[in-house]
């Protein structure tokens, strides 16, 4: 990765980590697999991130932000209301069909929360909750701050997430 700055390498590690954690989870993913995917050594990986948990947290933050940005970009200029809802739904469907690891990474985060908290580690839960709330807020404001519409949007989205994660086609 000659000629690439540390920030770009960090970004490459985060993207590789999302791909690895998305399919293998926190405990099933090794830092060796992440390093190999991005083309760096493990010692270099640990110069960018202090430990595996830090890489996992960065991957959680990035996947939530990718979703939030997809919703925000779709809603911008849509005029609010039903148009914004449709634009955000379409943008999210595109995101999870072209980058399913974004969704799967978030689901790995949801699953990791209970295990981490049972061990007294609250950082993962805080990161997952903050990511969820940033997505909620973006959608909520785009839908005119209507709690019922926002809840309905996420209910349909979670059904789509579940169908995607288990390999079933979206319902019409």
């Amino acid at each position: 990765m000659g000629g690439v700055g540390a920030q770009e390498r960090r970004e490459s590690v985060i993207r590789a980590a999302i791909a690895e954690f998305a399919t293998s989870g926190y405990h099933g993913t090794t830092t060796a697999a992440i390093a190999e995917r991005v083309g760096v050594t493990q010692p270099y990986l640990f110069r960018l991130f202090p430990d595996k948990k830090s890489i996992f947290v960065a991957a959680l933050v990035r996947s939530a932000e990718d979703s939030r940005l997809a919703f925000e970009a779709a809603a911008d200029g849509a005029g609010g209301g039903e148009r914004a809802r449709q634009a955000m739904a379409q943008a999210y469907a595109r995101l999870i069909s072209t980058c399913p690891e974004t969704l799967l990474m978030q689901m790995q985060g949801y699953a990791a929360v209970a295990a981490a908290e049972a061990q007294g580690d609250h950082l993962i839960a805080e990161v997952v909750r903050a990511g969820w709330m940033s997505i909620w807020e973006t959608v909520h404001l785009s839908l005119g701050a209507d709690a019922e519409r926002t809840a309905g949007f996420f209910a349909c989205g979670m059904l789509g997430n579940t169908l995607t994660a288990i390999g079933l086609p979206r319902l019409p």
Side-chain angles (χ1 to χ4, degrees), residues 6-152:
Q7 189 58 34
E8 291 172 271
R9 286 190 183 122
R10 275 182 64 84
E11 180 64 26
S12 295
V13 168
I14 292 168
R15 294 291 176 195
I18 289 171
E20 292 293 330
F21 288 129
T23 57
S24 300
Y26 180 74
H27 295 290
T29 297
T30 65
T31 55
I34 296 168
E36 183 178 328
R37 181 179 282 265
V38 78
V40 299
T41 64
Q42 272 186 287
Y44 186 79
L45 190 74
F46 290 118
R47 283 194 294 249
L48 298 172
F49 294 91
D51 54 26
K52 179 179 168 180
K53 181 178 164 185
S54 297
I55 300 168
F56 187 68
V57 166
L60 288 169
V61 168
R62 179 58 42 76
S63 64
E65 185 64 1
D66 286 349
S67 293
R68 190 195 71 72
L69 289 171
F71 289 131
E72 182 178 77
D76 281 352
E82 182 59 20
R83 282 193 205 145
R85 188 199 64 75
Q86 288 176 350
M88 289 188 296
Q90 290 169 354
Y92 187 65
R94 270 191 311 278
L95 175 66
I96 65 174
S97 69
T98 60
C99 300
E101 64 275 8
T102 300
L103 163 64
L104 297 175
M105 181 67 214
Q106 289 173 32
M107 292 184 126
Q108 291 289 355
Y110 304 153
V113 167
E117 286 200 319
Q119 296 176 347
D121 180 355
H122 303 290
L123 177 61
I124 291 172
E126 291 168 9
V127 168
V128 169
R129 289 178 187 132
W132 172 255
M133 291 308 299
S134 71
I135 294 168
W136 172 276
E137 188 70 16
T138 296
V139 170
H140 186 61
L141 293 175
S142 298
L143 295 177
D146 182 307
E148 191 172 312
R149 291 185 77 202
T150 306

